[in-house]
Amino acid sequence: MAPQQTGSRKRKAPALEAAAGSSSQGSAAAAAAADGDGPLLPKKPKRPAARRSLLHYLKGREVGARGRAGLPGFEGELRGYAVQKLPELLRERELALGTLNKVFASQWLNARQVVCGTKCNTLFVVDVQSGQITRIPLMRDRGPGPARAQPSCGIHAIQLNPSKTLLATGGENPNSLAVYQLPTLDPVCLGDRHGHKDWIFAIAWMSDTVAVSGSRDGTVALWRMDPDVFQGSIAWHNGAGLPVYAHIRPRDVETIPRASTNPSNRKVRALAFSGKNQELGAVSLDGYFHLWKARSTLSRLLSIRLPYCRENVCLTYCDELSLYAVGSQSHVSFLDPRQRQQNIRPLCSREGGTGVRSLSFYQHIVTVGTGHGSLLFYDIRAQKFLEEKAWPTPHSSAGPTGRKLKLTCGRGWLNHDDLWLNYFGGIGEFPNALYTHCYNWPEMKLFVAGGPLPSGLHGNYAGLWS
């Protein structure tokens, strides 16, 4: 059964109500003038008093008053204050995922549902309130083809288009790009023709109908969805009642340049799109950052050797700062492709060399998910990590302790199989690598998921922080 939308979108935004009131006053004044009473100046409508509270601000964001959120002055200060203060207020509630193996990707669908992809090639929706899990059928290639991937590699990427009407992820064959319609999650199309020859590791939407995928085969592919395919609200079905979807091919395929230092490891690991500059950033496992101009095709602009080139597995972009952030084995590096010399020094995670496994930007705060089961928060303006606050006492007020604010995730579930017993000595607990996290800012919630870092171990972790 397809997940249902919540009802919060039906409420009318205060900003829209105010606009409607102003319009009706203007109409009344015009009507009076037309009745022969002479030209009347309409009364200047009173501006509603500013509601200076964090609650009203967040409620305004919840019902869609996005234009106000970026305004300077008090609104901007309040927004920045909320972003800065939220991490220290978050508390964890673990979610049970049964025996699923390692959650690699996640995205919020609405206020209570998150869609996830796993190493065991399962696409599912979890209700964060009830804990209910709904599995989504994967799309199947038209034919077996010469390059079907091993089923154990899993779903590494899930992305929603800007209008949240389409979802792109991997298919049953992880080399293929699958696109579903939202909110019904009906299948739309499958990119299984002349596309990637190895697993898809990353996806980025350039517009509502254009997506780019990055693969372990060292290529990036640009896909264009035909609007006629998904404008209908009812999915096609064949005689047996099974959904029917289109099979598409990429409009452009570009190969990552071969580095002289590590020519055999050009695997594309992460993508991030700059809507402001219409540019696509990519990170490859040979230690390079690549930038393309994104139009109807991809035109490569540059390739930069990264300062830390081991295990570069995640990438994010901040439009407000025009800045890319790359996560590696022990650092996060910041890149502004327009600056010859980078002014922001890399941050060191110092989490036992387990690496940075997930990254996200929101305003000036970078959230870092590590391979050691912890979340860190970095203020890029101050160029330092957020710090823990001491609890106030009768003799002292609350203040920074000098210790890095670190949220440690729960134990999750670990399969105590023969491999765990024979190769890991039956160690009772393994910290979970946090492979994915995503914020629901209007609700001030953070979904975090992952699983044990060693590739042979089978387990999972998912938690709602609110």
Side-chain angles (χ1 to χ4, degrees):
M1 182 176 179
Q4 300 295 314
Q5 287 272 41
T6 58
S8 61
R9 294 177 59 186
K10 295 181 181 178
R11 291 186 294 176
K12 199 172 185 181
L16 296 179
E17 290 171 358
S22 301
S23 176
S24 62
Q25 289 175 8
S27 301
D35 287 340
D37 292 337
L40 296 178
L41 293 175
K43 290 183 179 180
K44 188 176 181 180
K46 292 183 180 180
R47 292 186 65 184
R51 293 177 166 179
R52 302 199 166 203
S53 83
L54 183 60
L55 177 63
H56 284 120
Y57 166 71
L58 292 169
K59 283 295 180 186
R61 285 184 55 79
E62 182 179 345
V63 295
R66 294 182 182 177
R68 301 172 57 196
L71 292 176
F74 177 75
E75 291 277 0
E77 291 176 13
L78 192 54
R79 182 185 181 197
Y81 180 81
V83 173
Q84 185 99 8
K85 292 297 179 184
L86 177 62
E88 65 188 71
L89 303 175
L90 292 173
R91 298 294 180 268
E92 179 194 41
R93 178 168 62 85
E94 279 200 57
L95 300 169
L97 300 183
T99 59
L100 293 171
N101 189 22
K102 296 180 185 175
V103 181
F104 283 154
S106 64
Q107 291 289 336
W108 286 91
L109 291 177
N110 51 54
R112 60 184 290 175
Q113 292 177 313
V114 180
V115 59
C116 302
T118 70
K119 183 177 180 178
C120 54
N121 223 36
T122 301
L123 183 68
F124 69 93
V125 173
V126 57
D127 186 314
V128 297
Q129 292 185 17
S130 67
Q132 179 181 349
I133 291 175
T134 305
R135 298 195 181 210
I136 308 302
L138 297 179
M139 295 190 216
R140 186 171 294 178
D141 287 3
R142 178 173 288 170
R148 284 186 66 84
Q150 303 95 306
S152 61
C153 69
I155 296 172
H156 288 266
I158 298 174
Q159 290 295 331
L160 277 57
N161 69 347
S163 65
K164 293 181 169 48
T165 54
L166 295 176
L167 177 151
T169 184
E172 184 181 77
N173 174 6
N175 302 354
S176 301
L177 180 80
V179 179
Y180 294 83
Q181 190 169 13
L182 294 176
T184 60
L185 283 167
D186 286 326
V188 173
C189 57
L190 182 68
D192 59 346
R193 302 173 61 198
H194 310 289
H196 296 297
K197 297 177 176 62
D198 209 335
W199 313 342
I200 290 176
F201 269 153
I203 298 168
W205 285 92
M206 291 169 32
S207 71
D208 267 346
T209 57
V210 178
V212 178
S213 55
S215 167
R216 210 171 76 142
D217 65 5
T219 65
V220 289
L222 185 146
W223 310 81
R224 188 178 300 277
M225 320 302 156
D226 183 355
D228 294 336
V229 174
F230 56 85
Q231 278 178 350
S233 59
I234 301 174
W236 305 337
H237 292 79
N238 63 12
L242 298 174
V244 177
Y245 39 85
H247 294 262
I248 62 173
R249 65 178 67 191
R251 295 296 181 94
D252 186 25
V253 178
E254 296 291 327
T255 302
I256 293 287
R258 191 182 297 272
S260 58
T261 52
N262 196 356
S264 62
N265 200 15
R266 298 180 294 172
K267 302 168 184 174
V268 179
R269 198 58 184 83
L271 298 172
F273 179 66
S274 163
K276 183 168 67 174
N277 299 318
Q278 291 295 295
E279 292 171 353
L280 178 76
V283 167
S284 53
L285 285 180
D286 57 2
Y288 277 83
F289 169 83
H290 311 274
L291 191 69
W292 282 272
K293 194 68 179 178
R295 295 189 178 93
S296 56
T297 60
L298 297 172
S299 175
R300 189 168 64 90
L301 299 174
L302 55 85
S303 295
I304 304 172
R305 177 75 170 171
L306 292 166
Y308 301 94
C309 52
R310 297 188 64 182
E311 295 188 34
N312 295 294
V313 296
C314 47
L315 174 71
T316 188
Y317 181 77
C318 178
D319 261 317
E320 294 177 19
L321 301 173
S322 299
L323 206 61
Y324 290 92
V326 182
S328 66
Q329 187 179 56
S330 55
H331 292 80
V332 176
S333 306
F334 299 100
L335 300 173
D336 183 348
R338 283 159 183 73
Q339 299 292 331
R340 182 168 295 179
Q341 185 173 355
Q342 303 303 319
N343 299 319
I344 302 178
R345 65 178 183 268
L347 68 91
C348 180
S349 69
R350 292 195 180 90
E351 288 291 299
T354 54
V356 176
R357 300 293 158 177
S358 57
L359 276 178
S360 68
F361 250 125
Y362 192 76
Q363 284 203 350
H364 56 283
I365 300 296
V366 182
T367 303
V368 181
T370 74
H372 210 256
S374 59
L375 291 163
L376 307 173
F377 306 90
Y378 189 77
D379 186 337
I380 201 163
R381 294 187 308 194
Q383 295 201 38
K384 66 177 185 179
F385 286 98
L386 298 189
E387 296 181 351
E388 289 181 359
K389 296 290 192 300
W391 291 101
T393 67
H395 308 290
S396 65
S397 59
T401 61
R403 294 191 301 269
K404 188 189 304 180
L405 175 63
K406 180 166 68 173
L407 302 183
T408 303
C409 294
R411 297 174 58 178
W413 170 79
L414 180 64
N415 187 14
H416 294 172
D417 56 10
D418 290 341
L419 188 143
W420 165 77
L421 182 63
N422 297 329
Y423 289 90
F424 295 93
I427 297 173
E429 286 187 41
F430 271 93
N432 289 294
L434 305 183
Y435 294 112
T436 179
H437 68 263
C438 51
Y439 280 95
N440 176 353
W441 279 103
E443 300 273 332
M444 297 189 78
K445 294 175 182 175
L446 171 62
F447 178 83
V448 186
L453 186 61
S455 60
L457 290 181
H458 185 118
N460 66 64
Y461 162 80
L464 180 68
W465 293 78
S466 60

